[in-house]
Amino acid sequence: MNLSLKKSLLAVLVTSCAVNLAHADPNLQSLIKKAQQEGSLTVYASTGKIVQQAKSFSKKYHINAVGVKAKAPQIIEIMSREYQAHNVKTDVAIVEDTPAGIAQLLKTKVAYSYVPPEFKNDIPKRYQHPLAVVLAPNVLAYNTALHKHCPITNIWQLTLPKWRGHIAMQDPTGKPAYTDWFNQMATHYNKQMRKAYQSQFGHALKTDQSSAMAVFVKKLAANHPLLTHSDTDAAAAIGSPDTKQDFVGFISTAKFRKNKDGMKLGICNGVKPFIGWNYPSLGVIASQTSHPAAAKLFIYYLLTKKGIAAQSIDGKMSTNEQIKLPANEASGISKYRHQLMTFHMDTARSDWRQRQKWQDLWNLSYMQ
């Protein structure tokens, strides 16, 4: 290689490095450097995808991170006990139960919320106080082998005798996402539920209940849905390819990936007032962590396209609105995102306080 060519290549390399450094966020670079000096990281979440996400984080930043799957109540108990014992092993947690996380981790100072400054303009403010990192859609689904289109167009149709015993869903007394949905609807969407009622039945709703959603919950429970222990079981009841029973029901978009194995699940597009709801998961950092920089970096990573990719493929949506769902996501929920109920984080404490009330209403109505 002649001398002039060497000089040209060197000039290109220097220019490239200068450009890269110019575009590098100095605060992020400082955080990465500090994180790499701290050592290991332990992260809990309710999804098994956290194992893969921790491995990807380790590979990218050369920090040993371990992902552990556990249910939200277990995560909260583990973090609380470690905090009380001043022996913190859990650095970061993705808490699927937002109201419980706020009440039992943030309010008690066991953990704190951190919003990476790089994303403050990309995450809606309603998901920043505290930070929700991902939204999990629960949608009304039907069997595409039995129907060309969803047989439900209005949520109140689920209370009709036609669907008695033919609605599949997890038991609300064991799945807080349902009672939180009830309370969110009653608190923020009472007008929409009343309007849907009038559209379905041709007259205004008259009731002594506290909200239209309370009426709906009573009627839905009295219609004796098939209550399951998991979304997997509910999805099997709804979308089995050889079923003779016609079921509709509420399931996670993650279950639509089973369509590649022969399931026949379809989203009930166009149902009024909503086709389902988006349930937020908190991203929290243990207040006594020995690895604060690494913990903050992991939260940052989860809010990037690569960091959330393992969950995005299941239809879970990053609160970073710059990140879109992948084209090969199985449910197609991206097309119907605007039809999902928006969860209001600012009233999550009310959801926490009202859970028992909604569970009692459900149980009493179901036993009728």
Side-chain angles (χ1 to χ4, degrees):
M1 185 180 292
N2 58 47
L3 183 59
S4 61
L5 181 57
K6 286 183 178 180
K7 288 182 178 179
S8 297
L9 289 173
L10 181 60
V12 170
L13 181 60
V14 170
T15 301
S16 175
C17 290
V19 170
N20 288 337
L21 288 173
H23 287 282
D25 186 329
N27 293 324
L28 179 60
Q29 297 307 310
S30 175
L31 182 65
I32 293 172
K33 185 176 180 181
K34 290 178 181 177
Q36 290 172 336
Q37 294 171 349
E38 289 178 349
S40 62
L41 195 69
T42 300
V43 185
Y44 274 77
S46 298
T47 171
K49 297 295 181 72
I50 196 62
V51 176
Q52 179 182 340
Q53 289 172 295
K55 287 180 179 178
S56 298
F57 173 85
S58 298
K59 184 176 180 180
K60 180 175 179 62
Y61 294 110
H62 308 290
I63 298 168
N64 181 34
V66 177
V68 182
K69 179 183 178 182
K71 293 182 178 180
Q74 294 174 302
I75 296 171
I76 292 171
E77 182 177 2
I78 289 169
M79 293 190 76
S80 298
R81 288 182 180 275
E82 290 179 353
Y83 174 80
Q84 291 166 4
H86 301 286
N87 185 26
V88 170
K89 304 296 182 183
T90 305
D91 301 289
V92 179
I94 311 305
V95 184
E96 195 176 76
D97 188 337
T98 286
I102 292 173
Q104 297 180 305
L105 293 179
L106 298 180
K107 189 176 180 181
T108 58
K109 309 299 183 183
V110 170
Y112 65 93
S113 177
Y114 166 74
V115 181
E118 296 83 1
F119 299 123
K120 285 191 175 180
N121 293 328
D122 299 324
I123 301 171
K125 285 190 168 43
R126 64 178 176 272
Y127 296 129
Q128 293 190 33
H129 308 288
L131 175 70
V133 294
V134 67
L135 308 171
N138 276 64
V139 297
L140 188 62
Y142 71 104
N143 190 308
T144 58
L146 298 177
H147 301 278
K148 186 176 181 180
H149 303 290
C150 180
I152 303 293
T153 58
N154 187 311
I155 197 170
W156 286 97
Q157 291 169 4
L158 296 176
T159 67
L160 298 176
K162 175 183 177 180
W163 293 103
R164 183 177 175 85
H166 287 267
I167 303 161
M169 57 188 284
Q170 287 198 61
D171 188 342
T173 62
K175 184 71 173 177
Y178 281 92
T179 51
D180 293 344
W181 171 50
F182 298 162
N183 199 60
Q184 286 276 321
M185 289 290 288
T187 304
H188 301 287
Y189 302 101
N190 192 50
K191 288 184 180 179
Q192 289 89 329
M193 283 298 287
R194 283 183 170 273
K195 183 178 179 180
Y197 179 93
Q198 183 156 1
S199 176
Q200 176 61 37
F201 297 110
H203 58 84
L205 174 63
K206 294 181 180 180
T207 179
D208 57 0
Q209 292 292 321
S210 59
S211 67
M213 194 63 184
V215 177
F216 174 79
V217 170
K218 284 189 67 175
K219 288 181 175 293
L220 178 64
N223 227 13
H224 285 265
L226 171 66
L227 301 181
T228 67
H229 293 294
S230 68
D231 272 359
T232 298
D233 292 339
I238 298 164
S240 178
D242 55 358
T243 184
K244 304 301 181 185
Q245 302 280 344
D246 191 4
F247 275 88
V248 294
F250 295 101
I251 57 173
S252 164
T253 52
K255 299 308 170 185
F256 283 74
R257 63 175 180 257
K258 293 182 177 292
N259 281 350
K260 68 181 180 181
D261 300 321
M263 294 284 278
K264 302 295 182 180
L265 295 168
I267 289 179
C268 282
N269 170 37
V271 174
K272 300 299 180 184
F274 301 109
I275 64 171
W277 68 97
N278 254 337
Y279 197 62
S281 290
L282 295 178
V284 300
I285 297 174
S287 58
Q288 295 179 4
T289 178
S290 299
H291 315 109
K296 289 179 179 179
L297 185 62
F298 193 85
I299 294 291
Y300 168 89
Y301 179 67
L302 287 177
L303 291 165
T304 66
K305 183 176 181 180
K306 185 175 181 180
I308 202 63
Q311 295 189 45
S312 293
I313 196 65
D314 287 338
K316 293 184 178 180
M317 304 172 183
S318 174
T319 53
N320 178 355
E321 292 189 333
Q322 299 304 311
I323 300 174
K324 307 304 179 185
L325 291 179
N328 60 339
E329 188 275 317
S331 75
I333 188 59
S334 181
K335 293 179 291 186
Y336 313 120
R337 180 173 185 164
H338 65 285
Q339 297 184 42
L340 293 165
M341 185 206 81
T342 298
F343 192 99
H344 289 247
M345 302 278 286
D346 58 346
T347 58
R349 290 186 181 181
S350 170
D351 302 332
W352 173 251
R353 292 192 300 267
Q354 297 299 322
R355 279 185 181 177
Q356 190 61 56
K357 183 195 80 170
W358 288 108
Q359 288 177 358
D360 291 345
L361 179 63
W362 179 271
N363 280 331
L364 290 171
S365 304
Y366 191 82
M367 290 188 293
Q368 291 180 358

